[in-house]
Amino acid sequence: DQQVKQNSPSLSVQEGRISILNCDYTNSMFDYFLWYKKYPAEGPTFLISISSIKDKNEDGRFTVFLNKSAKHLSLHIVPSQPGDSAVYFCAASQTGGSQGNLIFGKGTKLSVKP
Amino acid sequence: DAGITQSPRHKVTETGTPVTLRCHQTENHRYMYWYRQDPGHGLRLIHYSYGVKDTDKGEVSDGYSVSRSKTEDFLLTLESATSSQTSVYFCASSGTGVTQPQHFGDGTRLSIL
């Protein structure tokens, strides 16, 4: 059973607009969440993270929101740029468990059109 | 970004042959991981290491073994490769601390015919 779900396989956005990528999780023991970006033929690159003690974390154009009651997080990219076109993975972990045992979603492919 | 290199980057081999993938990191990270990525599955953890000679199983460990004799090197071995192990394999490393992000290599594309 999938513990981390990214229900949208793809998303297309116009340059300059907001991109919103969504992620749901089922395991209430998860307390740390990360977003990774992946370009073709490269490894995933860490983007931003959030602890369950927060509901928002911001880094430049990237903001992650966490809604613990809904077991939902989202990544906002504002403004979107063509270079943001990539696959985005949501990942979750239990900080009280084995370090770094991340559970990944299947990814969402973002296309930002000029 | 963490210096992680994987070798080989591509490999084609036949069913039943042994295969070893190598991961090398230059960040002196304590933790190292092997994942596989398949269509429709995201990344799934195969094995991980929490120190030299200390390893443990991940979600999809059957058919794989690992070894870590030095901090910088983490080897993944398929003792007798099967077609179901055709995949893209990623290595990652992270520092100590449960919120340390993992840094990934660029992957090895393995095809088993």
Side-chain angles (χ1 to χ4, degrees):
Chain A
D1 192 25
Q2 250 193 300
Q3 298 186 72
V4 177
K5 300 177 185 179
Q6 294 179 255
N7 291 320
S8 298
S10 62
L11 174 68
S12 184
V13 170
Q14 205 68 31
E15 181 179 6
R17 306 294 291 268
I18 185 171
S19 296
I20 300 176
L21 296 98
N22 294 304
C23 178
D24 297 295
Y25 61 97
T26 58
N27 188 341
S28 58
M29 299 298 289
F30 289 148
D31 57 1
Y32 194 68
F33 305 90
L34 306 91
W35 284 94
Y36 282 83
K37 177 171 74 173
K38 185 183 180 305
Y39 293 119
E42 294 184 11
T45 301
F46 169 70
L47 200 54
I48 192 169
S49 62
I50 188 166
S51 165
S52 60
I53 62 173
K54 295 185 174 182
D55 54 18
K56 176 183 173 181
N57 189 27
E58 192 171 353
D59 183 1
R61 297 187 296 115
F62 302 90
T63 303
V64 56
F65 296 91
L66 176 62
N67 182 334
K68 289 187 291 294
S69 61
K71 295 191 180 69
H72 176 84
L73 62 156
S74 61
L75 174 68
H76 293 212
I77 306 173
V78 184
S80 301
Q81 299 173 355
D84 296 328
S85 297
V87 177
Y88 288 79
F89 290 98
C90 171
S93 72
Q94 252 177 271
T95 56
S98 301
Q99 170 168 330
N101 279 7
L102 297 178
I103 306 298
F104 283 85
K106 293 181 180 180
T108 297
K109 184 175 183 179
L110 174 65
S111 299
V112 181
K113 301 192 182 306
Chain B
D1 217 359
I4 301 181
T5 54
Q6 294 184 230
S7 58
R9 291 295 314 278
H10 299 89
K11 186 172 183 65
V12 180
T13 190
E14 294 184 347
T15 300
T17 60
V19 177
T20 296
L21 308 183
R22 179 176 182 252
C23 179
H24 179 78
Q25 55 109 348
T26 58
E27 298 297 313
N28 200 34
H29 283 165
R30 177 181 175 186
Y31 295 86
M32 296 186 75
Y33 313 85
W34 276 106
Y35 292 87
R36 61 179 287 174
Q37 185 191 13
D38 303 290
H41 284 280
L43 285 91
R44 292 181 292 174
L45 182 66
I46 304 171
H47 281 281
Y48 66 100
S49 169
Y50 46 97
V52 173
K53 296 192 186 333
D54 292 322
T55 66
D56 207 348
K57 296 178 180 180
E59 178 188 356
V60 289
S61 59
D62 287 349
Y64 302 94
S65 62
V66 290
S67 65
R68 191 161 177 210
S69 58
K70 297 186 289 185
T71 298
E72 57 266 35
D73 292 326
F74 193 32
L75 304 181
L76 177 71
T77 297
L78 291 65
E79 300 290 347
S80 177
T82 68
S83 58
S84 64
Q85 293 175 310
T86 292
S87 187
V88 180
Y89 291 85
F90 288 99
C91 176
S93 71
S94 67
T96 302
V98 292
T99 60
Q100 289 295 309
Q102 294 178 23
H103 300 274
F104 285 80
D106 284 337
T108 294
R109 184 172 294 275
L110 178 63
S111 297
I112 300 164
L113 307 178

